[in-house]
């Protein structure tokens, strides 16, 4: 009780001293100081709200060379396959309203879409872009899947273990392209095969010393066979065809994370 009384007396003394100090300050200076304090507080509050509301509208198209990323880019942008394309050595990118939304009325938020070259020498470009990504579309060739399964799985593994992807929980769409062809593999087959390959990668890379591992994080659940459902970020699987313009599932994925 004595301690409480002492604190009360001390608080009253500080209060009186504060009031006396304020009374000595000329009114104009006091009002100016209060005004600056209020203005700074309001500005800081608005800045915080603006930062929270500003979300990235960048979607990355990634995958091996020849998977059809560039054709999908043009289909999403202007509804044309451009009669097929050659392998990109530089990123194709643009900010636009999706082609299928051009006829919609009202204000629609544009998407910043980046087609990242799939050549192994150009992979570092993806690392530069990942910090600004709101979502990733990883494209695989469903027609020529088996010969490229290992390489595609390694590339996807590197993305799923990237620090930016894990910490920001960037959603990934595993897009099985060219499914219009009769001999194309189904999305379920592709999903299962890639999960098997990633499980092998987990086992082989965990046996390497930590100093030699280039990946930022490990994925999966210890003691369980790997599944995309084990990832901290959401991984979904879809089908598409760049040549026929079947991109509905990609558009739905994009609009799930970049609201129109």
């Amino acid at each position: 009780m004595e301690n409480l009384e002492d604190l009360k007396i001390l608080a009253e003394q500080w209060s009186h001293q504060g009031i006396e100090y304020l009374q000595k300050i000329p009114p104009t200076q006091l009002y100016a100081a209060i005004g600056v304090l209020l203005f700074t507080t309001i500005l800081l509050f608005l800045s915080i709200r603006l930062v929270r509301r500003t979300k990235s509208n960048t979607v990355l198209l990634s995958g091996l060379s020849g998977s059809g990323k560039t054709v999908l880019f043009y289909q999403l942008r202007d509804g044309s396959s451009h009669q097929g394309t050659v392998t990109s050595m530089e990123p194709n990118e643009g900010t636009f309203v999706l082609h299928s939304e051009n006829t919609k009325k009202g204000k629609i938020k544009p998407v910043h879409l980046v087609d990242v070259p799939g050549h192994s020498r150009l992979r570092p470009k993806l690392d530069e872009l990942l910090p600004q990504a709101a979502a990733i579309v990883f494209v695989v060739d469903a027609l020529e899947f088996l010969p490229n399964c290992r390489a595609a799985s390694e590339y996807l593994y590197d993305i799923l273990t990237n620090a930016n992807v894990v910490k920001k929980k960037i959603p990934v769409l595993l897009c099985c392209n060219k499914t219009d062809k009769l001999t194309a593999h189904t999305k379920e087959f592709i999903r299962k095969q890639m999960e098997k390959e990633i499980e092998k990668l987990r086992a082989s890379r965990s046996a390497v010393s930590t100093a030699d591992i280039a990946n930022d994080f490990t994925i999966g659940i210890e003691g369980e066979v790997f599944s995309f459902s084990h990832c901290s970020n959401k991984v979904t699987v879809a089908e598409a065809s760049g040549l026929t313009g079947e991109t509905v599932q990609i558009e739905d994925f994009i609009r799930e994370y970049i609201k129109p």
Side-chain angles (χ1 to χ4, degrees):
M1 291 296 292
E2 291 181 0
N3 289 336
L4 287 175
E5 286 297 324
D6 290 341
L7 287 173
K8 184 178 179 181
I9 293 170
L10 186 60
E12 289 176 352
Q13 289 176 348
W14 285 349
S15 177
H16 289 310
Q17 290 175 1
I19 292 170
E20 290 176 0
Y21 176 75
L22 291 174
Q23 288 175 342
K24 292 178 183 179
I25 300 175
T28 52
Q29 292 184 17
L30 182 60
Y31 296 150
I34 293 172
V36 170
L37 180 62
L38 285 173
F39 177 76
T40 304
T41 303
I42 292 170
L43 190 63
L44 181 62
F45 176 74
L46 292 175
S47 299
I48 292 172
R49 285 179 64 88
L50 182 63
V51 169
R52 285 179 178 176
R53 286 183 178 182
T54 303
K55 292 184 178 180
S56 171
N57 66 335
T58 298
V59 176
L60 305 181
L61 280 173
S62 61
L64 299 179
S65 295
S67 58
K69 301 185 303 299
T70 304
V71 175
L72 289 172
F73 173 88
Y74 286 125
Q75 284 286 8
L76 293 167
R77 191 188 71 175
D78 52 36
S80 170
S81 66
H82 284 227
Q83 297 180 343
T85 57
V86 296
T87 300
S88 305
M89 296 305 287
E90 290 293 333
N92 292 302
E93 64 179 295
T95 302
F96 48 83
V97 172
L98 298 175
H99 176 72
S100 63
E101 299 173 336
N102 283 335
T103 56
K104 293 183 179 180
K105 295 180 180 180
K107 189 176 181 180
I108 301 175
K109 185 175 182 178
V111 176
H112 180 221
L113 192 63
V114 185
D115 163 26
V116 186
H119 195 282
S120 58
R121 288 190 291 105
L122 303 175
R123 299 276 173 85
K125 184 64 180 178
L126 179 67
D127 293 332
E128 295 175 19
L129 294 167
L130 280 175
Q132 56 189 283
I136 301 168
V137 177
F138 187 87
V139 184
V140 296
D141 185 340
L143 194 61
E144 299 293 334
F145 171 69
L146 287 177
N148 298 304
C149 179
R150 176 74 179 184
S153 299
E154 287 181 345
Y155 192 3
L156 182 56
Y157 179 88
D158 289 340
I159 290 174
L160 294 175
T161 54
N162 182 278
N164 287 294
V165 175
V166 175
K167 290 179 179 179
K168 294 171 63 179
K169 296 185 177 181
I170 300 174
V172 174
L173 179 72
L174 176 56
C175 177
C176 306
N177 190 27
K178 307 180 185 180
T179 53
D180 57 300
K181 305 297 183 182
L182 290 175
T183 55
H185 296 285
T186 65
K187 67 178 184 180
E188 280 305 308
F189 176 81
I190 291 172
R191 177 185 63 79
K192 290 177 181 178
Q193 292 302 121
M194 292 191 75
E195 285 178 337
K196 288 179 182 178
E197 286 297 329
I198 290 176
E199 173 62 21
K200 293 177 186 176
L201 286 167
R202 287 178 65 217
S204 62
R205 297 194 185 188
S206 63
V208 181
S209 65
T210 306
D212 294 331
I213 295 176
N215 303 91
D216 298 312
F217 287 86
T218 56
I219 52 174
I221 299 173
E222 188 68 31
E224 293 189 26
V225 177
F226 176 77
S227 167
F228 286 124
S229 62
H230 296 165
C231 296
S232 60
N233 57 316
K234 187 177 179 181
V235 181
T236 52
V237 188
E239 295 179 336
S241 172
L243 288 177
T244 63
E246 182 54 52
T247 57
V248 175
Q249 293 181 41
I250 301 176
E251 293 166 13
D252 290 344
F253 170 78
I254 290 173
R255 282 310 180 194
E256 182 179 353
Y257 299 100
I258 300 175
K259 302 300 181 184

